[in-house]
Amino acid sequence: MSEGSKGSSLAFGQVVIGPPGSGKTTYCHGMQEFMGRIGRKVTVVNLDPANEAMPYQCGVDIAELITLPDVMENLKLGPNGGLIYCMEYLEANFDWLQEKLAAFRGHYYLFDCPGQVELYTHHEALKNVFAQLAKWNFRLAAVHLVDSHYCTDPGKFISVLCTSLSTMLHVELPHVNVLSKMDLIEQYGKLAFNLDYYTEVLDLSYLVDHLASDPFFRNYRRLNEKLVEVIEDYSLVSFVPLNVQDKESMRQVMQAVDKANGYSFGDQEHRSLEALMSAAVGADFHFTTTLAVQEKYVQSQDKALEEEVMDL
């Protein structure tokens, strides 16, 4: 991995980004295991200086260079300022990162990134790190995780769409937006629309109308309409649903990312994937694709409605 492209081979990978609590570390752990089972050599690179308990096997850890607690203690910075300082410090020490990554040449890389939203919407440090990786012949796709519970609140969902769009435009990488924790969506409450409305980001005027039924948001209808217009004008944001515990769901996300960063696997990996998926299909296996989750969700809502009618 020499500077520029002095004969260095291509490297492929994902930068896993998203707000705190969206499941980035869990995703890296699950994807590392899933890809490992189909024969892909995977190295996880922890770029989160606040990440202490890592469930995955970590190949490169930024904690060897700098940690958030040390920065906060020594420089008297808060968590946000400390994270920004750590990313700027990483940017100033590209040689350390290059040396560490060189030890895993030929691997597929998962970069577990910090959860501070500002790092992906307007701060330059991580964007510059990704740009430097591109100069080292890395072909990366950004996997932006969003907790699916935001679907239950139309106001929050519009905010998520704006954040996702801003991140896509700022990071400047092929982008896959993911609705994480789909296995928990039933616990989050009733959705105003079918699940595919949120994954495909269909006509958002319905979302504005739904918001207008709330007296608080009625006063901000014009603002919401303008925000929705911006999102629809770019027509970039859509989501892939994800349940990390479900093999079919993981396959769909992996293939979406492979298409985004241009990764093409060989016959052996294809056969391993087919064997893994066929072994998973059985009487006790529950698919959690968008349709299956949606049907399960609708059934639970119908059951709740029946119970309410019986109580009456």
Side-chain angles (χ1 to χ4, degrees), residues 14-280:
Q14 310 174 18
V15 294
V16 185
I17 61 180
S22 57
K24 296 183 295 299
T25 296
T26 301
Y27 171 87
C28 288
H29 185 206
M31 192 57 75
Q32 182 185 47
E33 288 190 352
F34 184 81
M35 289 182 171
R37 291 186 65 179
I38 63 174
R40 195 178 298 189
K41 294 190 295 183
V42 179
T43 295
V44 181
V45 181
N46 176 43
L47 294 184
D48 186 355
N51 202 352
E52 297 177 348
M54 293 172 288
Y56 49 70
Q57 295 180 355
C58 185
V60 180
D61 189 358
I62 194 176
E64 298 176 17
L65 177 69
I66 191 170
T67 66
L68 181 60
D70 288 343
V71 170
M72 292 173 62
E73 180 180 353
N74 295 328
L75 300 180
K76 308 304 178 186
L77 293 172
N80 289 343
L83 270 174
I84 289 175
Y85 179 89
C86 289
M87 293 302 100
E88 291 175 345
Y89 192 80
L90 175 63
E91 182 186 1
N93 288 272
F94 279 140
D95 54 341
W96 174 86
L97 183 61
Q98 184 178 22
E99 180 182 349
K100 291 293 183 181
L101 294 176
F104 299 95
R105 185 176 286 108
H107 286 218
Y108 186 97
Y109 298 85
L110 296 172
F111 293 88
D112 188 3
C113 298
Q116 189 175 358
V117 175
E118 299 95 304
L119 293 171
Y120 313 113
T121 56
H122 58 271
H123 196 264
E124 297 292 326
L126 260 183
K127 176 183 176 181
N128 293 338
V129 171
F130 300 155
Q132 184 61 51
L133 288 170
K135 293 179 181 178
W136 294 337
N137 277 341
F138 276 79
R139 297 297 179 262
L140 300 173
V143 178
H144 185 212
L145 298 182
V146 174
D147 195 318
S148 59
H149 88 265
Y150 290 117
C151 295
T152 61
D153 187 321
K156 290 180 179 178
F157 188 66
I158 289 179
S159 299
V160 161
L161 292 174
C162 291
T163 302
S164 299
L165 178 60
S166 178
T167 300
M168 294 175 75
L169 297 176
H170 181 74
V171 171
E172 296 180 349
L173 285 175
H175 216 86
V176 177
N177 291 303
V178 174
L179 279 178
S180 63
K181 306 181 185 179
M182 292 301 297
D183 52 317
L184 303 177
I185 194 166
E186 295 174 37
Q187 304 175 20
Y188 291 146
K190 183 175 176 57
L191 297 180
F193 306 99
N194 289 337
L195 195 60
D196 57 354
Y197 177 86
Y198 300 93
T199 57
E200 301 301 325
V201 189
L202 301 176
D203 188 351
L204 295 179
S205 62
Y206 293 107
L207 208 60
V208 175
D209 292 338
H210 187 76
L211 271 175
S213 63
D214 187 317
F216 175 79
F217 287 105
R218 191 175 300 136
N219 298 326
Y220 299 97
R221 182 184 180 102
R222 186 62 177 161
L223 172 62
N224 289 324
E225 287 176 344
K226 289 300 181 184
L227 290 174
V228 162
E229 283 180 18
V230 171
I231 296 165
E232 293 184 329
D233 284 347
Y234 278 96
S235 190
L236 291 174
V237 184
S238 62
F239 295 94
V240 180
L242 171 67
N243 172 8
V244 172
Q245 299 177 355
D246 181 79
K247 294 182 179 66
E248 174 63 19
S249 180
M250 291 291 284
R251 181 187 67 82
Q252 290 179 351
V253 173
M254 183 189 74
Q255 290 182 336
V257 177
D258 286 347
K259 183 177 180 181
N261 65 13
Y263 181 88
S264 178
F265 52 82
D267 291 339
Q268 181 59 49
E269 186 172 316
H270 179 74
R271 287 193 294 268
S272 299
L273 179 60
E274 292 296 319
L276 175 63
M277 299 311 299
S278 62

